[in-house]
Amino acid sequence: MTKEKPEISDATKKKMGGKTFEKNPIKGTKYTIAISSAKGGVGKSTFATNLALALKQIGCKVGLLDADIYGPSLPKLFSINGKPESDGKSMTPISKYNIQCMSIGFLTEEQTPMIWRGPMVTSAIKTFAQKVNWNNLDIIIVDMPPGTGDTQLTFAQEIKMDGVIIVSTPQELALQDVKRGIKMFDKLGVKIIGLIDNMSHFMGDDGKKYFIFGEGGVEKTAKEFSKEFLGEIPIDPEVGRFGDLGKPIVESLPGHKISKIYLNLAEKIKSLYN
Ligand code: ADP
């Protein structure tokens, strides 16, 4: 993968009120792609882990940074119980399924609530970006906290990101927040790679599609904001089951129809940076 970083356009700088932020790239990787959602519970972490596994399967060297400080999912989704090694200055990511992983959840007890204020969160995120020995990666997938609050904003301002994928369900309630998210990333000059419709529908035994959360809302929102629609991922109980087992579906069943959706998407993401 060759590296060519896009400059922030003059139009974007103008939108940012003429300000440019000091954005530091994460050391040890060529590209950083964030996975964001406006609301919790739409499948952001499930998506981030499966996309990371799909990118690995097509030959990329991948890191996974769980930056969801308040609700880390990576320890559970990858069944990681150990703590990262540290020399007091930096930490070594934990390698699982041939992916370099880091999460605040590796450093805390499973049921400890994270009652941190903004500055502590910012400092934790900076530590993850700058003091982790990511080793020679093509891509780091960052599982962002949900929403458009201070944490999200600070993260987007402080770390050089090459793109963000926004995950949503097609429900009106989620889409409202997606629109806020799109505006925030546009304003911050973070490139939106596209939108994903997760849990788009359920395929019944009768062969019919059931649109549990409504139909087509994510694609419509993408069009409304001239963003790319990256496709849909149906509801499938196997996705949840393998997540709970700590070995996501793309790793457990690479031939499954859901895994194939992730592999196609991974090819698309890889091609963006070739
Ligand atoms: P978030 O990170 O947005 O809070 P999670 O990734 O934790 O969301 O997913 C929320 C729940 O939805 C989990 O139980 C997960 O297994 C389930 N889930 C996510 N995507 C799918 C899908 N495509 N089909 C079925 N269940 C899914």
Side-chain angles (χ1 to χ4, degrees):
M1 292 179 122
T2 50
K3 180 120 184 112
E4 201 176 297
K5 298 238 171 183
E7 291 292 322
I8 299 176
S9 69
D10 287 345
T12 307
K13 275 185 199 157
K14 208 170 160 194
K15 274 189 237 153
M16 291 156 77
K19 268 192 234 165
T20 42
F21 296 95
E22 178 74 32
K23 293 187 185 186
N24 294 306
I26 295 182
K27 282 182 204 156
T29 187
K30 287 187 194 140
Y31 299 101
T32 300
I33 294 175
I35 311 299
S36 180
S37 71
K39 279 218 178 301
V42 299
K44 170 182 59 63
S45 299
T46 303
F47 180 84
T49 45
N50 279 299
L51 181 66
L53 289 161
L55 282 161
K56 175 206 70 174
Q57 275 183 25
I58 61 165
C60 299
K61 292 183 85 178
V62 185
L64 192 48
L65 169 54
D66 178 7
D68 196 343
I69 301 286
Y70 292 108
S73 303
L74 191 53
K76 177 81 188 145
L77 286 173
F78 266 26
S79 188
I80 295 174
N81 301 310
K83 295 212 182 302
E85 281 176 23
S86 169
D87 60 4
K89 286 191 195 122
S90 58
M91 283 182 288
T92 302
I94 294 179
S95 195
K96 185 87 187 243
Y97 307 133
N98 214 6
I99 290 181
Q100 296 174 34
C101 304
M102 186 52 72
S103 167
I104 192 79
F106 298 161
L107 308 169
T108 56
E109 297 306 317
E110 201 177 329
Q111 271 139 19
T112 309
M114 300 305 291
I115 38 176
W116 289 6
R117 288 185 189 277
M120 290 165 79
V121 172
T122 310
S123 131
I125 286 167
K126 277 193 203 161
T127 304
F128 279 171
Q130 308 301 341
K131 305 262 170 73
V132 173
N133 304 318
W134 303 104
N135 185 12
N136 196 21
L137 297 174
D138 291 317
I139 298 187
I140 288 185
I141 298 293
V142 182
D143 184 2
M144 297 274 266
T148 53
D150 272 358
T151 315
Q152 184 88 347
L153 194 73
T154 314
F155 193 93
Q157 284 175 349
E158 303 254 347
I159 294 178
K160 173 85 185 69
M161 288 193 284
D162 296 289
V164 57
I165 297 174
I166 299 178
V167 181
S168 183
T169 58
Q171 206 171 8
E172 254 330 297
L173 196 64
L175 290 169
Q176 251 180 27
D177 289 4
V178 165
K179 293 175 187 177
R180 271 194 279 273
I182 293 175
K183 286 180 187 162
M184 180 188 76
F185 287 119
D186 275 350
K187 219 171 166 190
L188 290 167
V190 178
K191 178 189 156 57
I192 296 174
I193 297 171
L195 274 63
I196 277 282
D197 186 344
N198 188 41
M199 304 199 250
S200 54
H201 62 269
F202 179 76
M203 186 67 86
D205 289 340
D206 53 5
K208 279 194 202 143
K209 285 182 177 181
Y210 292 88
F211 296 94
I212 318 273
F213 297 120
E215 187 181 352
V218 180
E219 186 169 12
K220 208 170 120 220
T221 306
K223 276 209 183 97
E224 189 184 329
F225 287 85
S226 307
K227 303 296 173 197
E228 187 163 351
F229 178 59
L230 293 168
E232 34 184 59
I233 303 173
I235 299 174
D236 193 314
E238 295 288 78
V239 173
R241 189 165 78 81
F242 284 108
D244 283 349
L245 286 172
K247 194 174 180 188
I249 192 156
V250 168
E251 187 70 12
S252 293
L253 297 178
H256 192 280
K257 58 183 187 303
I258 297 277
S259 304
K260 286 185 182 157
I261 296 176
Y262 276 107
L263 288 163
N264 282 335
L265 205 56
E267 291 285 5
K268 184 165 192 164
I269 304 298
K270 190 180 174 191
S271 73
L272 289 179
Y273 298 101
N274 268 331

